[in-house]
């Protein structure tokens, strides 16, 4: 730790604190995540171990880089590359207006990072604006892999208590424990809409029931015809019957191609949602540029 000097606290979460720091050996600005270890018998928290192990595997321009891990007395320091802000702060600073070229660039970069994760059999499971970092050059970095999981064949049964509520897919909200990369695509679609709407969250539910109600009001209440098997998930639950809204009312600032891509990402039936790779091939991204234009 002698190599690093904390400059300022930049964030605090359930499991620890993040500082902006400088590496005196190299002069580089870094981010230090200080993880609390409350009980010596418990050892390093599982979420921290998971994040460290996965980020050692993942090397991609749109995924935050892990530099070092320092294990001291009752604390763990994880050293990451430093980014100026997260996407939530970026959107707040834009005060309701984000240029369409930035929406296109940020969404493309997020999907690039996600496609890389999925190709390495990793689900992120918590895609939110707070977990997406933005550099001063307008580069997007996917971060916070504490809830991420490896997946493979046979498909494992996962926890339904994942993904921040506003970005959680309807299948997971309904209690599905067999899910795949489609849950990350739904979250990304929510962020795509949020960016295009100037930083306004698309589905700000108060609890699980309210979240599902908002989703069904926009995308329609599902049935067996559009989502085979949904009746089992909705068993013993009574939801009003809503017809889907016009996408033009949901994302009015997106062009026709953007609206089409948004619809492909926000299909209620998870088996019919597009993949990250398919989304990247969409005509909406023709001529996209990375970073700020």
């Amino acid at each position: 730790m002698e190599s690093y000097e904390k400059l300022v606290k930049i964030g605090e979460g359930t499991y620890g604190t993040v500082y902006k720091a400088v590496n005196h050996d190299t002069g580089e600005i870094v981010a230090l995540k200080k993880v609390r270890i409350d009980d010596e018998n418990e050892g390093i928290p599982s979420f921290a171990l998971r994040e460290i192990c996965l980020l050692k595997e993942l090397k991609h321009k749109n995924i935050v880089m892990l530099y070092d891990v320092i294990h001291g007395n009752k604390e763990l320091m994880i050293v990451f590359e430093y980014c100026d802000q997260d996407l939530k702060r970026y959107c707040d600073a834009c005060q309701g207006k984000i240029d369409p070229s930035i929406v296109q660039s940020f969404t493309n970069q997020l999907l690039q990072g996600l496609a890389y994760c999925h190709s390495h059999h990793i689900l992120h499971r918590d895609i939110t604006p707070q977990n997406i970092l933005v550099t001063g050059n307008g580069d997007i970095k996917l971060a916070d892999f504490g809830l991420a999981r490896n997946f493979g064949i046979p498909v494992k049964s996962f926890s339904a208590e994942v993904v921040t509520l506003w970005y959680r897919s309807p299948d997971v909200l309904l209690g599905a424990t067999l899910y795949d990369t489609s849950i990350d695509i739904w979250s990304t679609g929510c962020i795509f809409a949020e960016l295009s709407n100037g930083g306004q969250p698309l589905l700000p539910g108060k609890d699980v029931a309210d979240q599902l109600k908002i989703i069904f009001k926009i995308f329609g209440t599902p049935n067996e015809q559009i989502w085979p098997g949904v009746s089992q998930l909705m068993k013993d639950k009574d939801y009003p019957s809503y017809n889907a809204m016009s996408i033009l009312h949901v994302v009015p600032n997106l062009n026709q191609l953007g609206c089409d891509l948004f619809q492909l990402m926000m299909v209620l039936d998870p088996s019919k949602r597009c993949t990250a790779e398919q989304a990247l091939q969409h005509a909406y991204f023709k001529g996209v540029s990375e970073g700020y234009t």
Side-chain angles (χ1 to χ4, degrees):
M1 275 304 300
E2 290 76 15
S3 299
Y4 300 98
E5 179 189 348
K6 296 174 189 172
L7 300 175
V8 63
K9 184 166 77 171
I10 54 176
E12 189 153 12
T14 308
Y15 301 106
T17 308
V18 182
Y19 298 90
K20 180 179 180 180
V22 61
N23 182 337
H24 285 304
D25 294 340
T26 64
E28 184 176 9
I29 298 296
V30 298
L32 282 180
K33 181 189 262 187
K34 179 181 177 182
V35 180
R36 292 183 290 270
I37 303 176
D38 297 325
D39 189 339
E40 289 181 8
N41 296 324
E42 291 292 328
I44 298 173
S46 59
F47 83 90
L49 279 174
R50 192 179 304 125
E51 182 167 41
I52 292 164
C53 291
L54 290 176
L55 285 177
K56 280 189 172 182
E57 279 183 52
L58 299 172
K59 306 294 181 188
H60 188 271
K61 63 183 178 180
N62 296 122
I63 296 174
V64 71
M65 188 175 292
L66 172 69
Y67 287 156
D68 202 358
V69 180
I70 304 161
H71 190 193
N73 183 31
K74 292 192 176 181
E75 70 177 25
L76 178 76
M77 285 288 188
I78 310 175
V79 187
F80 298 98
E81 68 174 305
Y82 176 77
C83 297
D84 297 75
Q85 59 190 326
D86 63 33
L87 191 59
K88 173 69 167 62
R89 289 184 182 180
Y90 175 89
C91 289
D92 289 346
C94 288
Q95 299 182 327
K97 199 161 184 66
I98 302 175
D99 189 274
S101 66
I102 298 298
V103 176
Q104 184 192 46
S105 172
F106 281 10
T107 305
N108 181 273
Q109 291 184 71
L110 176 53
L111 284 164
Q112 295 276 4
L114 210 50
Y116 180 83
C117 289
H118 294 170
S119 71
H120 285 70
H121 306 287
I122 291 169
L123 302 178
H124 187 280
R125 303 203 309 170
D126 198 15
I127 304 288
T128 71
Q130 289 87 344
N131 292 339
I132 299 165
L133 305 180
V134 185
T135 72
N137 295 324
D139 295 325
I140 288 291
K141 306 278 184 177
L142 189 52
D144 204 333
F145 282 75
L147 283 177
R149 285 288 190 282
N150 287 101
F151 67 92
I153 301 173
V155 177
K156 294 179 181 179
S157 178
F158 295 113
S159 167
E161 295 300 315
V162 294
V163 188
T164 303
L165 184 65
W166 295 356
Y167 305 91
R168 198 178 302 172
S169 63
D171 42 311
V172 178
L173 287 164
L174 287 167
T177 56
L178 289 174
Y179 51 75
D180 56 19
T181 57
S182 62
I183 70 163
D184 287 341
I185 295 299
W186 178 275
S187 304
T188 303
C190 292
I191 290 171
F192 182 24
E194 190 166 328
L195 286 168
S196 74
N197 291 336
Q200 188 71 29
L202 177 68
L203 306 166
K206 299 181 183 71
D207 52 36
V208 169
D210 188 49
Q211 189 70 22
L212 282 166
K213 184 178 178 182
I214 294 172
I215 289 171
F216 296 160
K217 270 187 173 181
I218 293 176
F219 300 102
T221 304
N223 54 43
E224 284 292 319
Q225 283 68 48
I226 66 167
W227 182 354
V230 73
S231 56
Q232 280 298 110
L233 291 174
M234 297 174 73
K235 196 175 179 181
D236 303 323
K237 296 166 186 167
D238 187 27
Y239 296 101
S241 182
Y242 296 108
N243 293 319
M245 291 173 57
S246 165
I247 291 301
L248 292 174
H249 293 304
V250 182
V251 281
N253 298 320
L254 284 180
N255 61 23
Q256 187 176 343
L257 289 173
C259 287
D260 182 66
L261 174 60
F262 174 70
Q263 285 184 289
L264 293 174
M265 299 170 80
M266 304 300 284
V267 180
L268 292 175
D269 182 349
S271 69
K272 296 171 185 169
R273 274 174 226 148
C274 66
T275 65
E277 282 288 356
Q278 288 168 342
L280 287 167
Q281 299 305 312
H282 196 277
Y284 170 72
F285 292 122
K286 187 177 180 181
V288 69
S289 60
E290 294 181 11
Y292 294 127
T293 55

